[in-house]
Amino acid sequence: MYEIIAFYLFSALTIGLFLVTVMSKNVLYAMTSLAAGMVLISGFFFVLGADFLGVVQLIVYVGAVMALYSFAMMFFDATRDIKEKNTNSALVFLLGGLSALVLVLMFAAPIHSDAIHALYPMHVGVGNAQDVGIVLFTKYLVPFEVAAVMLLVAMIAGIILAGKKMDKSLTKDTSIDDEILVLKDEK
Amino acid sequence: MIGLSHYLIVSAIIFSIGLVGVLRRRNLLMLFFATEVMLNAVNIAFAAISHYYNDLTGQMFAFFIIAIAASEVAVGLGILIVLFKRYGSLDLDELSSMRG
């Protein structure tokens, strides 16, 4: 009973909030509704019994990713409404809906529900976090390490891109232009 | 009772919302938001399948998707900041430099 109420509440709220994210002209509204939608998605995970995934969703998405977005918003003018040239939105809606439908059908068609059997079944009487830890550090150890290396690469890339003077051209020496301008002024 | 198909339908709806956003948005920051919506929709589907087939593989893949999304945001926001410093705008129509 509670599961039904939670499911319909979460799904209605999530869909509404993500619609606001996609339709809104204001960046602040879009970002806050995206954060709220992600909190509700972690609610889905808790209902589904994936406790550790829900906690990770809260920490990584709502905590880290949205904080990163809100820090990046300091660089952009967030209060101004975005002007976008939207070409024929009805056509875009039709195309988006149709292609989503085609994608879902494409991936759902080869699945015969009876043929699926659990590769790493959950253990009875073991908590979700413990179960996830056992499978992650035995069966998925190499992807885990690769993901760690990828996060390191992403961190270095973020620091370099935001910290160094990457907005200046690396190949064109702008100081020469300044000297030429100075020389022209002197003449 | 809520079955697997309920969750998959919600996931498909959210995914198509994100896809419409990717198609109609012209601002790069809003495009990033739309991709986050799509990634979250896929995570719901993975968690639901993991629950109803009593299998942990779906949750594993959801973890890796979250890791990929985090690194994508880190690199992408760095590129956005560089673009904004250089051009003063995040609009795709203004940023397009190739005339063809």
Side-chain angles (χ1 to χ4, degrees):
Chain A
M1 183 61 195
Y2 288 117
E3 195 200 351
I4 297 173
I5 295 172
F7 173 78
Y8 282 113
L9 187 70
F10 285 156
S11 50
L13 281 174
T14 320
I15 290 170
L17 283 167
F18 282 158
L19 274 175
V20 170
T21 304
V22 170
M23 297 300 160
S24 169
K25 281 191 190 308
N26 194 316
V27 181
L28 270 180
Y29 290 165
M31 201 190 69
T32 42
S33 64
L34 184 66
M38 282 171 176
V39 173
L40 289 167
I41 280 182
S42 78
F44 272 120
F45 294 157
F46 288 125
V47 168
L48 284 168
D51 300 343
F52 193 69
L53 187 58
V55 173
V56 167
Q57 168 94 5
L58 276 181
I59 292 174
V60 174
Y61 259 123
V62 187
V65 170
M66 297 319 289
L68 208 59
Y69 272 127
S70 42
F71 272 112
M73 298 258 294
M74 293 178 190
F75 285 92
F76 315 130
D77 193 1
T79 51
R80 190 183 51 190
D81 278 5
I82 290 172
K83 287 192 199 68
E84 285 176 313
K85 189 183 68 184
N86 286 326
T87 52
N88 200 357
S89 61
L91 184 69
V92 169
F93 277 105
L94 187 70
L95 280 178
L98 276 181
S99 49
L101 191 69
V102 168
L103 268 177
V104 170
L105 285 180
M106 242 165 58
F107 285 108
I111 295 177
H112 299 293
S113 314
D114 304 329
I116 296 177
H117 57 276
L119 194 59
Y120 303 119
M122 296 177 192
H123 301 100
V124 184
V126 179
N128 179 256
Q130 208 175 347
D131 228 355
V132 163
I134 291 168
V135 176
L136 192 62
F137 286 109
T138 53
K139 305 292 181 189
Y140 286 91
L141 188 59
V142 176
F144 181 76
E145 300 289 344
V146 172
V149 173
M150 186 188 65
L151 282 172
L152 178 69
V153 170
M155 186 184 78
I156 293 171
I159 291 170
I160 297 281
L161 280 172
K164 298 258 184 185
K165 300 284 181 200
M166 289 293 281
D167 53 319
K168 304 283 189 293
S169 178
L170 289 176
T171 50
K172 202 175 71 178
D173 193 359
T174 47
S175 60
I176 296 175
D177 292 349
D178 293 341
E179 284 173 18
I180 292 169
L181 284 177
V182 169
L183 285 176
K184 273 184 185 171
D185 287 343
E186 282 172 356
K187 283 175 189 171
Chain B
M1 210 49 210
I2 303 293
L4 175 58
S5 49
H6 288 75
Y7 282 100
L8 288 184
I9 287 168
V10 167
S11 165
I13 290 172
I14 295 175
F15 188 84
S16 47
I17 288 172
L19 198 62
V20 167
V22 169
L23 283 177
R24 77 184 279 273
R25 282 296 190 184
R26 283 274 160 259
N27 188 289
L28 268 176
L29 195 61
M30 295 302 203
L31 267 175
F32 267 70
F33 288 164
T35 53
E36 299 293 329
V37 170
M38 289 165 78
L39 287 168
N40 272 297
V42 174
N43 274 350
I44 292 177
F46 271 130
I49 291 172
S50 160
H51 178 248
Y52 282 99
Y53 283 99
N54 208 17
D55 190 357
L56 277 172
T57 318
Q59 290 182 33
M60 293 301 132
F61 273 90
F63 285 125
F64 290 123
I65 286 176
I66 287 178
I68 286 171
S71 50
E72 171 239 336
V73 166
V75 179
L77 278 178
I79 293 174
L80 282 196
I81 288 170
V82 171
L83 274 176
F84 192 76
K85 276 183 190 167
R86 195 157 179 171
Y87 296 104
S89 160
L90 285 179
D91 200 290
L92 276 177
D93 291 332
E94 291 178 30
L95 288 180
S96 66
S97 57
M98 298 178 84
R99 311 275 173 228

